[in-house]
Every structure is written in structure tokens, then in C-alpha cells.
Amino acid sequence: MTESGVYRSSGTNAPLPLPNVEQVELQAMLDWLSTYGADAQGGVTRLLYDAAWCEAQVALAAKMQEKGLSPEFDQSGNLYGTLKGEGEESATGAEELPVVTGSHIDSVVYGGKYDGAYGVVAGVLALEYLQKHFGAPKRTLQVVSLCEEEGSRFPFAYWGSRSITGITSLEDVEHLKDQDSVTFAQAISHAGFGPDSAYRPAAKNYGAFIELHIEQGQVLERLGHSIGVVSDIVGQKRFSITVSGEANHAGTTPMSWRKDALAGAAEMIAAVRGIALDAGEPLVATVGRITADPGVGNVVAARAVFSLDIRHIRQESIDRCWQDTLHAFSRIAAEQQLGLDWEEHLSVTPIPMNAEMISDIQDTCQQEQLSYWLMPSGAGHDSQIFQPACPTAMIFVPSQDGISHNPLEYTAEADLMHGFRVLVRLLYKYGYGS
Ligand SMILES: NC(=O)NC(NC(N)=O)C(=O)[O-]
Ligand SMILES: [Zn+2]
Ligand SMILES: [Zn+2]
């Protein structure tokens, strides 16, 4: 990935007319996409390479085809729609790298219908709108439906963007197993992707990346702003923590004789919560999943495995929280004669977004007469993977009550359209150059 400047507009500041933009049926296409993976909780569950994920990507490819965007998959299952540029070749004779917009198509379990999907749908409709009203751009514009960001199925996140930027290869992840012991290699092959497929390798150079996404928090709603301009994206560390004890009879084993892995894990979980509260905002630490073996009510647990997710806008704060947490876990394990093991399966650093593009988004909001707020993202995003490789920026729209990763996730249609208009203007600026 080469760092290349983003196209700078040389035109006047007169706002670009956006004819009939209000007729773009963004909500309808979001509702349509959410039917793929609609779950019993009223939300969306689309996990990497599962049936709902495959159906959604195939259906999106068909939509892109209908809209003249030449759909193309890569070997990871990332799906591109392309609006070909007609500009002059650069001095080196190489075509300018494409400006890409998009987000992720996968979800968490029982997630909402906007997280990731909004950026994909808005990108498809933005390219269709630009082609319809302004013809071919000078510079190629693409929308990408990234195959995986959440890390919901396999203990690994950002597979789509990491395979594109070359940070991760299939060899690095093919051994990973989901909760049904299906390997990554089996899943990618079953979905029809991977090195044996007919698709081209995922690695690809972008000229710039723009991600439109719901905020997933309550800052914009509370402050009354329409657009969030993302300054930085938090860093994260994710672990699996294993506590080992000794299975025993729940009725005949005195409390003081027990090596109770689940009781130990419970104390550890309370300890890490206390460490995070003592550290103060914006540090967050979350235990979202726990399993116990043998997981039977009348047996003292022999083993407990729980997840741990630590985030902050500064790397040193993440590192300090983990060190304090590990110290507390080790103390608890020693006190209760338990085994302790851990595996780190995600570590992404905090990263600032591209300053030039931030300024362009702010200018665009002014053209649209939309109030905006410069803010960090507490959620992780593919943009933090792309930023070291190409100029990258994010645009947020408000989430009602700040709810996300929940079937109740909601963003009003008017807010969705505000973000869409800013995205269209930005893509016009970079693709058509005026
Ligand atoms: N937009 C997201 O919800 N991202 C999520 N996924 C990752 N990988 O960070 C998260 O947990 O913040
Ligand atoms: Zn998410
Ligand atoms: Zn997301």
C-alpha cells in the first residue's frame, strides 16, 4: 500500500448541487440487506462465511451489477463495486489508485442492522447516484463490502481489511476454530473463497479510504450534532483467559477444599472491572463471554474460559491496564490454587485519522450546513487498519440512545441521509476533482 495524496479540489466553494438526492432509497436498501441474517431476536446475525453472510454478499453483488458497478470478489470474500475513472494516466503512466468507500458486512451475534451495513449500502448508492448525475469520474471510485471486521465467529478481527493491506495472510489464520470447531480453512473453502478459488488475491492498493458508520455511542445525540468527524480510533487488546481448577462434588466438597475455576474467574472478572473503574474514562474493559466445564450445576467447575476486551485512545493506558489486570489475576489464582493461562488474539494500536481528509469532511459539512463534532471512536473500525497504508477518514451519524451491538440499534432516516450527502460530496471532491 503506498501513501498517495488525496485529490485536492481546485474549484470554488459554491456548494455542489445534489439533484434529487432525497429520492435515494437508502433506508429501503438497508431494510432489504437486513433480511439476510435476520435472527430470532429481531436483529441481524451474519458471521464470516456462514450461510447468511454468503447470501448477503451474493445479493449485494447482484445489486451492484444492476447498478452498473461491475461487482468483483477477492479471495477473502471482500466484494468490490467499481465506478471506473476516465482521468488521464499519471506522469508515471500508472492509473491513479482508486478512492474506496465501504465498511463491513459481518455482524456480531444478535446485532443491529446498521453497524457496518450502513457504510456498505451508502457506498453502493453513492456510486450509483454519482454515475447517474455526474457521469464517469476522473478517478476510479470503488465501494467495498469488507468480509469481516467484528471477530464474532473466529478469534480474530479485521480479516477483510488486514488481508487487503497484507498485514495478515490466510496461513496466519487458517488453523483458527469457531465455537463448533470448524476451522477458518474449512469455512473459507466451504464459502467458495480462498487460494483455490477463481478470485484474485485480496492484497490491493487504495488511494484513500472513507468509511461511513453509525457512532454506536451517544455523544452526537447528547450534543445535538448531525455528523461525527472521527479524529482517532481506539486501540484494543483482546484475550481469552483460561482458569483451571478441579472438578468435584458440589455437595461433599467443603468450600475451603475447592479448586473452583468458575468462582476464581468470577473474582477475576470483578477485579478487572474495578481496575477499569479506577483507571477512569475513556478506558473500558469488557468480559463478554464465559464458558465453564463441565458446566453442570452439581459439579465444581474444573475450568472456566472468558473473553477480555481492553480499549483506550492511548496505547500506554491499554498496556498499563493489562499489566495491572494480569497481576490481579495471578494473585487470585495463587490464593485459590488455580491455574491461569491467557492468549492474546487481537492487538490494534490507537490511530489518528488523516488530517487533510478530516478538514475536507468538515468543509463538506459546512457546505451541507450540518453541525459536526470532531470526536474519537470507542468502537474499532477497518479504517484503523487502512490508515497506516493510505489516507483514511471516518464519518459518523448518531445512534439513538447510543445503542449498538443490539437488535435495538437504530438511526433515524434523516440522519442516515445526512451522512449519505456528506459521503457523496466527499467522493465527488476526490473522484471528479472540483
Ligand atoms: N464497529 C464495531 O462495532 N467494531 C467492533 N469490532 C472491532 N473489531 O472492533 C467493535 O467491537 O468495536
Ligand atoms: Zn460492531
Ligand atoms: Zn462496525
Side-chain angles (χ1 to χ4, degrees):
M1 306 288 283
T2 54
E3 177 87 0
S4 65
V6 180
Y7 198 98
R8 301 293 303 156
S9 70
S10 54
T12 64
N13 284 330
L16 173 78
L18 296 180
N20 303 328
V21 69
E22 64 285 346
Q23 291 172 12
V24 170
E25 296 186 348
L26 198 154
Q27 183 67 63
M29 188 168 169
L30 258 178
D31 293 342
W32 163 82
L33 184 56
S34 69
T35 62
Y36 296 92
D39 59 38
Q41 306 294 322
V44 170
T45 301
R46 264 193 315 259
L47 306 184
L48 179 62
Y49 304 135
D50 75 1
W53 178 99
C54 290
E55 289 160 14
Q57 286 289 65
V58 169
L60 270 172
K63 278 281 185 198
M64 288 177 180
Q65 188 66 44
E66 280 171 30
K67 297 175 185 296
L69 298 178
S70 319
E72 182 188 9
F73 285 102
D74 67 22
Q75 283 179 10
S76 296
N78 297 303
L79 171 63
Y80 288 93
T82 300
L83 181 53
K84 190 91 174 88
E86 289 185 343
E88 306 304 319
E89 286 192 342
S90 63
T92 60
E95 187 199 5
E96 270 199 304
L97 293 170
V99 172
V100 184
T101 187
S103 192
H104 58 96
I105 189 66
D106 69 313
S107 74
V108 295
V109 175
Y110 304 145
K113 69 180 182 181
Y114 301 86
D115 180 1
Y118 170 51
V120 174
V121 167
V124 171
L125 294 174
L127 295 194
E128 180 189 40
Y129 177 85
L130 287 166
Q131 185 173 44
K132 179 179 178 182
H133 293 282
F134 304 102
K138 293 176 184 169
R139 183 174 189 179
T140 295
L141 300 175
Q142 290 189 300
V143 53
V144 61
S145 174
L146 293 161
C147 62
E148 191 279 340
E149 184 266 358
E150 298 281 6
S152 304
R153 179 176 181 184
F154 295 96
F156 186 85
Y158 306 108
W159 164 239
S161 46
R162 281 173 148 179
S163 62
I164 292 165
T165 53
I167 297 172
T168 305
S169 65
L170 182 56
E171 290 68 34
D172 298 325
V173 294
E174 61 188 1
H175 62 286
L176 296 176
K177 291 184 178 177
D178 69 9
Q179 294 188 334
D180 299 321
S181 296
V182 175
T183 67
F184 199 103
Q186 290 166 332
I188 192 171
S189 173
H190 183 68
F193 298 99
D196 299 335
S197 70
Y199 302 119
R200 63 168 184 77
K204 175 177 164 67
N205 287 343
Y206 289 1
F209 182 67
I210 306 163
E211 185 170 9
L212 179 58
H213 204 285
I214 55 171
E215 177 199 341
Q216 301 179 284
Q218 210 171 5
V219 171
L220 294 176
E221 184 178 66
R222 287 191 178 188
L223 298 179
H225 291 292
S226 301
I227 297 291
V229 184
V230 176
S231 56
D232 312 74
I233 302 177
V234 289
Q236 293 181 42
K237 277 187 177 295
R238 290 187 190 179
F239 302 88
S240 290
I241 311 293
T242 300
V243 183
S244 307
E246 186 178 82
N248 220 322
H249 196 293
T252 59
T253 312
M255 295 304 285
S256 61
W257 291 9
R258 296 178 177 205
K259 293 179 182 176
D260 186 336
L262 195 45
E267 204 169 315
M268 291 175 192
I269 293 168
V272 67
R273 184 173 183 277
I275 289 166
L277 287 169
D278 290 348
E281 292 186 7
L283 185 118
V284 286
T286 310
V287 174
R289 182 176 63 239
I290 186 166
T291 58
D293 293 316
V296 175
N298 62 347
V299 179
V300 174
R303 194 173 80 129
V305 180
F306 60 89
S307 64
L308 176 59
D309 174 315
I310 301 172
R311 306 187 190 195
H312 197 283
I313 209 70
R314 287 195 312 275
Q315 188 60 45
E316 59 271 21
S317 300
I318 297 170
D319 295 340
R320 175 65 190 275
C321 177
W322 170 237
Q323 287 314 313
D324 292 349
T325 297
L326 189 54
H327 179 75
F329 286 6
S330 303
R331 173 183 53 76
I332 293 165
E335 287 167 356
Q336 299 188 25
Q337 297 178 295
L338 299 170
L340 174 66
D341 196 9
W342 63 91
E343 185 188 348
E344 180 179 282
H345 53 78
L346 177 70
S347 181
V348 285
T349 56
I351 194 159
M353 294 290 95
N354 179 273
E356 268 188 69
M357 292 175 75
I358 286 174
S359 172
D360 289 341
I361 296 171
Q362 292 169 327
D363 293 347
T364 304
C365 289
Q366 284 160 12
Q367 284 181 2
E368 274 296 313
Q369 298 180 326
L370 291 170
S371 68
Y372 61 86
W373 185 251
L374 186 63
M375 60 186 287
S377 171
H381 295 286
D382 290 299
S383 289
Q384 74 194 105
I385 306 299
F386 284 119
Q387 171 55 30
C390 69
T392 297
M394 287 199 78
I395 306 160
F396 276 170
V397 293
S399 293
Q400 182 168 280
D401 300 328
I403 294 173
S404 182
H405 283 185
N406 179 318
L408 297 177
E409 186 179 275
Y410 175 76
T411 294
E413 185 168 3
D415 289 326
L416 296 173
M417 288 308 292
H418 291 154
F420 178 75
R421 297 174 70 112
V422 172
L423 177 66
V424 166
R425 286 190 180 280
L426 209 59
L427 289 172
Y428 182 88
K429 185 187 191 88
Y430 297 155
Y432 296 77
S434 70

